[in-house]
Amino acid sequence: MHLVVPASTTITPRKARFRTDLIGLFTLELIHPVQSAVVVPWTGFLARASAALLRFLDPDVIAYGKVLQHADTGLGVSIEAGCNGIEAALILTASVLAYPASWGMRLAGVVIGFVAIQVVNVLRLISLFYLVGYSQPLFEFAHLYLWQALIMLDVLVVWLLWIRQVARRESRNEVAHAAAA
């Protein structure tokens, strides 16, 4: 008798790189100095940015700390860990770093991807802010299921678009090198 290992379970260098980077990035995010210097301020910024956008529609929206709230009704949302888009950005970062590309392309992928994830996340926060006052069951569904899937879909789409750009750049470089030779 012998062991048969399906090809999909083989750990390639890219898979190992992705796993190592992901574990490292998530571990780094959890340590206290990073939480206090990066995560907490970023979460507060998201609350303020969301409130600033919401004030175009309703001047009674306020933000304090990580809370986005309506001053008159008191209804609001608290942006907790996992709701600030950082974890999604870390998954994208690990994916980009594991893919064979130049460091310039990787940097562009991480920066542009972070912005894309945060834009969608602000839309998420705003929609959840309105849903909390409209319907608690709908808020729970959107918060726990719908937006989780949409944020991960955003990560996947950004990564796939970035890979397409990397392939195009490599193709242009190969044509240029072939023409020069």
Side-chain angles (χ1 to χ4, degrees):
M1 182 149 69
H2 64 281
L3 176 66
V4 176
V5 179
S8 63
T9 61
T10 303
I11 306 266
T12 64
R14 278 189 234 164
K15 285 181 186 177
R17 170 76 189 261
F18 172 77
R19 290 176 183 177
T20 302
D21 288 349
L22 191 61
I23 291 168
L25 289 168
F26 273 103
T27 301
L28 183 65
E29 182 220 4
L30 292 174
I31 63 173
H32 181 69
V34 174
Q35 282 286 316
S36 44
V38 178
V39 176
V40 171
W42 177 255
T43 306
F45 169 76
L46 283 177
R48 291 187 307 278
S50 298
L53 290 171
L54 284 165
R55 279 195 284 273
F56 283 109
L57 301 172
D58 186 348
D60 294 325
V61 175
I62 59 172
Y64 56 93
K66 60 183 181 176
V67 175
L68 181 61
Q69 188 174 33
H70 194 277
D72 289 344
T73 66
L75 289 173
V77 293
S78 177
I79 306 167
E80 300 297 330
C83 297
N84 55 19
I86 290 175
E87 289 82 1
L90 295 179
I91 292 169
L92 177 69
T93 299
S95 302
V96 166
L97 292 176
Y99 194 82
S102 71
W103 283 105
M105 288 298 290
R106 288 176 178 170
L107 179 62
V110 169
V111 170
I112 293 168
F114 181 82
V115 170
I117 289 167
Q118 293 305 330
V119 165
V120 172
N121 196 47
V122 167
L123 294 174
R124 171 184 179 267
L125 295 171
I126 289 171
S127 75
L128 292 174
F129 173 79
Y130 281 115
L131 284 174
V132 78
Y134 177 73
S135 166
Q136 189 64 33
L138 191 54
F139 167 82
E140 291 295 330
F141 173 78
H143 178 244
L144 297 175
Y145 303 107
L146 179 64
W147 275 112
Q148 293 294 330
L150 291 175
I151 292 291
M152 286 299 105
L153 181 62
D154 184 33
V155 170
L156 178 62
V157 168
V158 167
W159 186 65
L160 291 172
L161 290 172
W162 174 77
I163 287 174
R164 193 167 117 191
Q165 285 303 114
V166 169
R168 284 182 178 168
R169 169 93 33 110
E170 287 177 1
S171 177
R172 282 193 301 256
N173 289 345
E174 287 174 10
V175 168
H177 287 307

